[in-house]
Amino acid sequence: MTTTIQTPAEFLTHVVDPDLAAFASSVQLRLAYHACNSLFALRDWVYETHKGKVWSFQGTQFQAISGKTKFLADLRTIEADFEIVADIANASKHMVLDSGRRLTSLYGSANVHIHTSGGSGLLGFGAIGAGAIGSVPTTSVFVQIGTGFHDVQQCANKVHAVWKQLFSENGW
C-alpha cells in the first residue's frame, strides 16, 4: 500500500493528526514544535487548493481566500490561538522573530519551554509543600509571550479543533 499526501485533507490526516496525537502522549519540545509547524503549514495547503473560494465557519461566510496573510487574519478572528501557533512555528524555524513578522510579542524559540509543577516532597518530587501530599508532578510545554504564559498543548488543541470543523463544514 502506498500513501501519498496530495490534498489538504491528506495532510491533515497523515501529518497534522499524528503530530497532535504524539504531542498529546508525550510532553517534548520537539513534538510541540512539530504540532505547531504542521498546524500552521495546513494554512498553506488550504490556501493553495482553495484560493479564490469563499468559505465559512459555524455558518459565518468569509470572503474568498485571496492571500496567505489575509487567510491567517481570518483564521485568527475565529480562534486567537492561531497567532500563537503561527509564531511558535516561525520561531522554531528562525530562532528569533523579526518584530515585523510576528503576530504576538513572542521573541523567539527560547520562550518555548517545558515546565514541571506540583508533586509532593513525600514522593520525591520537588520540595516539600510544592504539591498536595501524594500528588504527582505535571509537565507541560508553555510559551512565554510578554509577561503571559500559554499552555502550548491547549493552544494547539483549539487550533486543531477549528481546522477539523473547517474541513467538515467546507468539504475541504
Side-chain angles (χ1 to χ4, degrees):
M1 180 175 127
T2 302
T3 301
T4 62
I5 301 174
Q6 297 179 357
T7 68
E10 291 168 345
F11 187 80
L12 176 65
T13 299
H14 297 296
V15 177
V16 178
D17 291 347
D19 279 349
L20 268 286
F23 181 36
S25 68
S26 180
V27 178
Q28 297 179 39
L29 288 176
R30 178 181 63 82
L31 297 174
Y33 286 134
H34 278 263
C36 290
N37 272 295
S38 63
L39 285 165
F40 183 52
L42 192 52
R43 177 216 42 180
D44 296 345
W45 282 76
V46 172
Y47 169 76
E48 287 300 328
T49 305
H50 299 290
K51 59 186 163 193
K53 297 177 185 172
V54 296
W55 57 286
S56 63
F57 181 74
Q58 295 180 341
T60 300
Q61 190 166 343
F62 287 82
Q63 294 179 357
I65 299 171
S66 60
K68 292 178 186 181
T69 302
K70 172 69 169 107
F71 185 38
L72 181 58
D74 288 341
L75 293 170
R76 290 169 49 211
T77 66
I78 294 169
E79 174 53 63
D81 285 345
F82 268 94
E83 64 188 20
I84 293 172
V85 166
D87 275 358
I88 291 170
N90 281 322
S92 76
K93 293 187 294 185
H94 304 291
M95 192 175 90
V96 175
L97 296 176
D98 291 337
S99 60
R101 291 190 54 179
R102 60 185 177 204
L103 302 171
T104 67
S105 60
L106 176 64
Y107 173 74
S109 60
N111 295 90
V112 182
H113 58 273
I114 293 179
H115 177 76
T116 302
S117 62
S120 68
L122 296 176
L123 294 176
F125 302 114
I128 293 178
I133 294 175
S135 67
V136 178
T138 58
T139 304
S140 300
V141 177
F142 280 88
V143 60
Q144 181 179 359
I145 300 174
T147 59
F149 292 86
H150 305 271
D151 185 316
V152 176
Q153 181 74 57
Q154 290 176 5
C155 295
N157 286 342
K158 285 193 250 176
V159 168
H160 188 235
V162 169
W163 275 127
K164 291 289 215 178
Q165 189 167 348
L166 284 167
F167 272 71
S168 175
E169 187 172 336
N170 293 283
W172 293 340

